Amino acid sequence: MKLLTATYVSQGYRDNDFAGCVEGELVHIGEVCARDKENPDGDCGCGRSFAGLNSYLATTTAMVREIPGFTDDDYVLALRSSLEQQGCDASFAEHEAALLRILVRDWPVGAIVERRLDEIVVRQVVQP
């Protein structure tokens, strides 16, 4: 299964890149705060980052990786568990997992993506 994961690859491409997640950690697209909702380069950084499911930290770069043996049910469980552990509403975990699978389905393994508010674009493609 292709999934979106944290990566340090291409960190520094933008002056305001940052990476707090663990390399290879599953990530999702978190909410954007009121302060940054109009500006992906805002002080908070939430408008340009992905949120780590395990570390609960953020990164501005994510890589599409193939995770052998990982199932749709595993993905939903990982999202649900992360959200619950953070005290967030996990009732939409199945929907979010489906949206993330759709997001990455046409990108090749090794695609490095960045977030600019609601737009997720490929920054570069590397050999994983």
Side-chain angles (χ1 to χ4, degrees):
M1 168 181 275
K2 288 195 311 189
L3 301 169
L4 204 53
T5 64
T7 188
Y8 301 133
V9 176
S10 84
Q11 279 288 312
Y13 175 81
R14 291 186 185 274
D15 290 341
N16 58 3
D17 274 345
F18 57 88
C21 294
V22 175
E23 177 73 30
E25 173 182 7
L26 293 175
V27 296
H28 71 123
I29 301 164
E31 295 291 322
V32 178
C33 71
R35 188 171 56 180
D36 281 11
K37 75 178 197 167
E38 301 295 325
N39 180 11
D41 296 312
D43 292 337
C44 176
C46 61
R48 64 181 177 276
S49 63
F50 303 92
L53 295 189
N54 195 41
S55 67
Y56 314 135
L57 298 174
T59 183
T60 52
T61 52
M63 178 187 282
V64 177
R65 287 187 168 99
E66 183 73 33
I67 311 295
F70 209 79
T71 67
D72 291 342
D73 288 342
D74 294 334
Y75 202 23
V76 172
L77 182 61
L79 282 163
R80 181 176 290 122
S81 176
S82 178
L83 292 168
E84 287 173 351
Q85 291 297 316
Q86 295 176 75
C88 299
D89 179 8
S91 63
F92 60 92
E94 190 169 339
H95 180 71
E96 183 176 7
L99 291 175
L100 288 166
R101 284 191 306 272
I102 289 168
L103 177 67
V104 303
R105 76 174 169 207
D106 293 330
W107 289 332
V109 170
I112 308 298
V113 298
E114 67 178 0
R115 178 181 183 189
R116 308 296 290 162
L117 298 174
D118 293 333
E119 186 177 14
I120 313 294
V121 297
V122 175
R123 188 182 271 193
Q124 75 180 85
V125 177
V126 299
Q127 292 299 318

